[in-house]
Structures are given as C-alpha cells and as structure tokens.
Amino acid sequence: MADNGEQKLIAVARHIANTLGHTDNMTDDILKIFSNFDGRLREKLTEKLSDEDPRDCATLEHTLKSLDRQISRYVSSDQPIWSDSADASSFLDSVDQLISSIRDWTQLADDKNIAACLYRAEDLLQQSMFRLEDEFRSLVERGAESFDLTRGESTHLDFSDEDDSGEEDGDDNEIPVAHPITDYNIIIDALPAGTIGDLQEIAKRMVAAGYGKECSHAYSTCRREFLEESLSRLGLQKLSIDEVQKLQWTQLEDEIEKWIKAINVALRILFPSERRLCDRVFLGFSSASDLSFMEVCRGSTIQLLNFADAVAIGSRAPERLFKVLDVYETMRDLLPEFELIFSDQYCMSLRNESITIWKRLGEVIRGIFMELENLIRRDPAKAAVPGGGLHPITRYVMNYLRAACRSRQTLEQIFGESIAPPGSNVDYRKGDDRALSSSLAVQIEWIMELLESNLEAKSKIYRDSALCSVFMMNNGRYIVQKVKDGELGALLGDDWIKKHNAKIRQYHVNYQRSSWSKVLGVLKAENNSTSPNGASNGLIEKLKLFYSYFEVICKTQSSWVIFDEQSRDELRISVLGTLSPAYRNFIGRLQNAPDFGKYADRHIKYGVDDIEARINELFQGSGSSRSLLLAILMVMHKMLLEGMEVAKEHHGYGNVVVVKAVLVLAMEVTWCGKFGVELENFV
C-alpha cells in the first residue's frame, strides 16, 4: 500500500507540474521543487525524472501548439508589433522558444513524427522571420523619418536652400543643393538609439534562425536609398560612363566639381557613419555587418568610381590636365579612407577598384603630356609673327607648364611612379622623398627642347636674319622669365637657366652683327694715301651711305617688337654703345678734314643725339598696328560681355547658339595665350 501511495503522490506531482509548466524546463523545475518538500520522496521523484524522457512527440506537439497560438496572433496583426514594447518583448520571447525547440529537437529528426512536427515548426519560424523582416524594415524607415539628419545639429550637414524663406515654391521634385562642408570630422547617428536597440534584438533572432542574409538585405535596401538621396542632394547626377563621356567639357568641369564634393562627403562622413551603424545594429555578428555595409554602399561607391573611370578613359586633350589632376588628387587623398572603410572580405573588390582607377588616372596624365608633345610637333611653321614677337605656342606651352607645376608634387609622384622599378617600396601616395622627382624635370626639359626646336623652325620663315634673332630672343626671354618666376625654376635648376640666358645673349650678338656690322663698317677710319680732297669726298660718300643704311634699318625695325622692357633697353644701350662713339668719331674726322671742315655741316643730316633718339624708338612695334589690335580686342571684349548677358536672359536652343558664339569670341581674344596670359604683353 505504501508503494502504491507513493506512486499516486508522484503522479499527482507530475500532473501538477505538467499543468503549470509552459515548457519542459519549467515542468522539470517544478518537479524538483516538489522533491524538496519530503525527504522520503526525493529519491523516488528524482528517479522518475531521470527514467522518463520528456522529449516525446506529444511534448513537442504541445509546445508547437502553444507557440503557434502566440506567434500567429502577432504575425496576422495589422498593427506594427513594435508600436507596443510589451508586444515586441512577448513576440521575441516566443520566437526564442521556437528557435530553441527546433534546435533541441533537430537531433531526433530521424523519428517520422518528430520530423513532421519539425517541418511545421520550420514553417512557423519562416512566418516569424518574414514578420520580423517587415518590422525591421519599418523600424529603419520610421527611425530615419523621426530622426531628420538633414537638419540635425549633430550632423552639421545643411541641405536646405539658401533662399528658403518658408514659402512653398510649388516644386516638390526640386532637389536642394548642399552647402559647402569644411569639417569632415563628423559621424552621423542616422537612427535614434532606441531604434538601434530594437534592430539589434531583431537582427539577433534572424541571424540565430539562419536568416542573416534576409536581415542584411532588408537593412541595406532602406539605407541604400538614404545614401543615394544624400548624393543627389550634393548635386551629383546618376550618369553612366557613356553619358559622362558625351558631356561638353564645360559641363564635365561642373560635374567634376560636384563629384569632388560628393566623394569627400561620402568617404569621410556618410560611409564611416554607415559602417558604425551597421556594427551597432549587427552587434556581435561581424559577417552580417560586413555584408550589410557592402550592400548599402556598393551602389553609391560604384557610381562615384564610374565617374572617375569615365574621366580616365576620356579625351587626353591638354586642356583637360588640370581637372584630371583634381580627380587624381582626390582619389589619392581618399585612398586611406577606401582602405580603412572597405577592409572586409565583401568590400575588397571596391577597394581594389579604387586603386586601379587611381593608377589609370595617373596613366592618363602622362598621356596628356604626350599629347602636349604631339601638339608642339604638329604646330606648323606657316605665317610669321609680325615684328618677331612672341609666338602663341610659346605663351601656350609656358603658361601651361607653369600652371601644371603648381601641382608639382603630384606630377612628380605620377612620373616617378612610371619609372619606379618593380617591387619598389616607394609610396607615391604619401609624397615619399625617395620618389624620383627628376623624372618630371626630364619630362619638362624634353617639352622645352621640342618647343625650342619648333621655334627655330618657325624663325626660318623670316628672310631677315636680324629679325630671326629678335624672334628667338623674344621667345627665349619669355621662356626664361616663366621658368625663373615659379616652380619651373626650382624643377629645372639654375644651370638650365644659365644655359638659356647664354643662348639669349648669343641671339643678341647675332642681331647686332646682322643689323649693324655693315653700318659700323662704313664709319671705320681707313688708312690710305689718297689726297686730302679725295679723302674728304670719300668721307662724304661714306656718310651718305651710312645715312642710307641707318634709315633703312630704322624704318624696317620700327615695326619690330621686343616685348620685355629690360631686354629692349639692353639692346638699345648695346647698339648705342657701339654706334654712337663710331658716329661721333666719324663726324669729328669729317669736321676736321682740311679745306672741308667748314662745309661739313651741310652734309651732316643727324647729330649724335638724333641718332640716339632714332635708336630709342626701335623695337616698340608699329604704333598703328598696336592701336588697331587694341581696338579689335576691346570690341571683342565688349561683344563677349554682351553675349554673356544675352545667354543669361535666354533659354533653350537660342541659349546654346549664343553661348557657342561667345565661346568662339573668347577663343579669339585669348588665342594670344591660353591659361591666363596677360593681353597687355601681347599688344
């Protein structure tokens, strides 16, 4: 009877435990508590607990029915579960129990009945995950809406219109343009902390249930739209590589400026903020965090890289150098950000692509310099520059190189990298001092040699050898001045400058020899045995010949130009230094000639002061030519300004026509020298 009583007591205890317990663990805990009430039953009850396996199909069925009732109530609800924190907590608890049950019973899946129950459990889990995915997406979207980062003080990013006075302009589709950003040391908290905590809890369950990719996809879909909108607000258009290449150069210049701002904001603010947000949402799940970040940023990153790639594979016309340099330098400066932000396995391809495009831009810049060489070689020696003045190609090339050398360090990196030996550990991105900077000097020297050869070929157009020397002197002096006054001088060195100054002095000597040697020869004294009358007549004939030569030279060279005032003064002084004493001595001999001196003044047409005055009028160019050219330039400048005003007031096709006309005029006005050449030097 005693044993029968114990059996009944144990059965009653188990019935109470099964009735009160919601899970197998809770039932076991209750039974253990009962066993502590009476020491006599401790051993018996413990034996029953150990002998009886609670994991039978009926237990699993009971658990699934309970969880199905709880979960289905939330899954079928039309209201957001996370609108009530208690409902959210209860739903997550039910999902936890379901995941735990599936994990515990999977090892017994060989049993057909248990396998059937597990199939139902997996279906219920899938429904739960679908609902969690929807809740996850809604939380991200609602969190972004309630946390307006475009106007938040913590972000320092203001995308509002400058002239926004609170009135509606009726255009809801207009995209506001971002204000300039100077401080990139910003991290955006794109979602409220509470929302991030809720997302963490959902992500934890979805990853645990094997739905990590689905969770990452839901996250990235929402955040990707935010990034795309941010780039649009920065003024960056979505353009394919083909569309970029079809842009007019002026349009492309504007797009490059927008791109530089956008990629700086993206790499220094937006992407790091997204990286931080991913790590917080997927806390403890690095793989899911990396995957989500890649999916969020991949589209925007490819858009930015494709633009740079389009610039790299575009035209290599010399005038594109400076904007391509801007793109190259931007990519170079952001490479550390690329390497830091895209360091995981999913983003490695983006990081590698950024390095590839950066190197391709360097190749393009080297190609542009090759195109400049070809431009110099192909520039024909047709019409001579009037008066032996500066040739437009001299101005073009020297101002081009001068402007290019403002980016000397970058160009040294580019040309140094092109000749660096394989395996070299020189880091050109950091401006390593070991870089072979002389490679840029070699490139510049080569371009200079091509220019000088081209000018020498052009100088042969002049039939007058003296004018040929003036032409080379003018262009040589201009080249040296541009080299001395800037980075070109530091690059080429003092020896190069001394060598070319010597060339200019030689052109100076050649000019004097060609122009004045014959004149000076007439004034030389001759030792002969002729009679005094014969000698006097000879002097008169020489004087007439001198005046003839002198007047021809002055008439001819009055239209010649020496643009540099110092060179002009030096040349005049040099001519006067030899001509004035010779002429003074000659006049003295004539005046002292016996039986003729008193009549000498009849034959002397110019005094020494007159000769010097005539020499000082040389090399200024024709006054009428200068006035005409200046008048033409002033008229064209006025037309240019008027055309710009018309372009502002008109739209559509007419605007295009006006702009084209204005550009043609601008090209004519600036043909005397591109890239900021001073017009006053030309005239």
Side-chain angles (χ1 to χ4, degrees), residues 321-340:
L321 172 68
F322 306 101
K323 284 300 179 183
V324 177
L325 273 171
D326 289 342
V327 177
Y328 175 90
E329 290 173 341
T330 301
M331 289 293 296
R332 177 200 62 194
D333 295 343
L334 290 175
L335 280 182
E337 278 73 17
F338 272 105
E339 294 179 352
L340 177 64

Side-chain angles (χ1 to χ4, degrees), residues 652-671:
Y653 178 77
N655 186 28
V656 174
V657 173
V658 171
V659 169
K660 284 186 176 179
V662 169
L663 289 176
V664 169
L665 289 172
M667 290 174 64
E668 293 295 333
V669 171
T670 58
W671 172 241

Side-chain angles (χ1 to χ4, degrees), residues 91-138:
F91 182 54
L92 289 178
D93 287 342
S94 299
V95 171
D96 286 340
Q97 294 175 33
L98 181 59
I99 294 172
S100 177
S101 296
I102 293 174
R103 183 175 58 248
D104 293 342
W105 287 88
T106 298
Q107 56 188 328
L108 302 176
D110 292 339
D111 186 297
K112 292 183 179 180
N113 294 328
I114 293 178
C117 290
L118 286 175
Y119 180 80
R120 288 171 49 208
E122 291 288 352
D123 183 65
L124 182 60
L125 180 64
Q126 188 179 53
Q127 296 178 43
S128 303
M129 293 299 109
F130 287 162
R131 184 55 193 256
L132 280 179
E133 183 179 342
D134 291 340
E135 293 291 326
F136 188 93
R137 185 178 288 106
S138 296

Side-chain angles (χ1 to χ4, degrees), residues 227-448:
L227 275 185
E228 292 173 354
E229 182 183 359
S230 298
L231 292 180
S232 294
R233 292 190 174 199
L234 288 166
L236 189 68
Q237 300 183 56
K238 270 192 173 182
L239 299 172
S240 66
I241 291 178
D242 289 339
E243 289 172 333
V244 172
Q245 291 184 321
K246 290 178 182 178
L247 292 175
Q248 297 293 326
W249 177 240
T250 53
Q251 295 175 315
L252 184 55
E253 285 183 308
D254 292 339
E255 290 300 320
I256 287 174
E257 291 297 325
K258 296 174 185 177
W259 175 86
I260 290 173
K261 295 174 184 177
I263 196 171
N264 273 288
V265 172
L267 268 293
R268 293 176 173 173
I269 299 178
L270 297 177
F271 291 171
S273 299
E274 287 301 322
R275 175 79 265 183
R276 180 171 179 261
L277 184 59
C278 283
D279 291 341
R280 293 178 66 187
V281 170
F282 296 95
L283 185 63
F285 304 103
S286 59
S287 180
S289 176
D290 293 343
L291 177 61
S292 299
F293 176 73
M294 185 275 291
E295 290 188 348
V296 169
C297 298
R298 185 174 184 273
S300 297
T301 305
I302 289 176
Q303 178 187 352
L304 292 166
L305 291 178
N306 279 349
F307 184 90
D309 198 24
V311 173
I313 62 180
S315 168
R316 298 191 177 187
E319 64 267 18
R320 293 184 174 230
L321 172 68
F322 306 101
K323 284 300 179 183
V324 177
L325 273 171
D326 289 342
V327 177
Y328 175 90
E329 290 173 341
T330 301
M331 289 293 296
R332 177 200 62 194
D333 295 343
L334 290 175
L335 280 182
E337 278 73 17
F338 272 105
E339 294 179 352
L340 177 64
I341 296 170
F342 300 122
S343 58
D344 59 81
Q345 56 179 334
Y346 297 107
C347 295
M348 187 179 298
S349 62
L350 296 175
R351 183 182 69 232
N352 294 339
E353 182 67 11
S354 68
I355 296 173
T356 299
I357 292 174
W358 167 66
K359 290 182 177 179
R360 190 176 298 147
L361 287 164
E363 294 172 3
V364 170
I365 291 170
R366 291 191 290 272
I368 288 175
F369 272 85
M370 292 179 63
E371 187 59 31
L372 177 63
E373 296 172 16
N374 294 331
L375 183 149
I376 296 171
R377 289 191 188 96
R378 293 193 299 260
D379 192 63
K382 293 182 179 179
V385 177
L390 289 177
H391 197 281
I393 196 172
T394 306
R395 291 182 178 274
Y396 180 94
V397 173
M398 293 312 301
N399 284 283
Y400 187 94
L401 295 178
R402 180 183 171 90
C405 282
R406 292 172 188 156
S407 302
R408 174 185 170 186
Q409 184 178 10
T410 299
L411 291 173
E412 284 176 346
Q413 295 170 10
I414 292 169
F415 284 97
E417 187 178 40
S418 67
I419 63 172
S424 172
N425 60 352
V426 176
D427 190 348
Y428 297 97
R429 289 169 290 173
K430 298 178 180 178
D432 200 307
D433 291 336
R434 293 171 292 170
L436 302 176
S437 61
S438 62
S439 59
L440 176 60
V442 170
Q443 176 67 40
I444 298 297
E445 282 190 51
W446 171 240
I447 292 175
M448 294 291 200

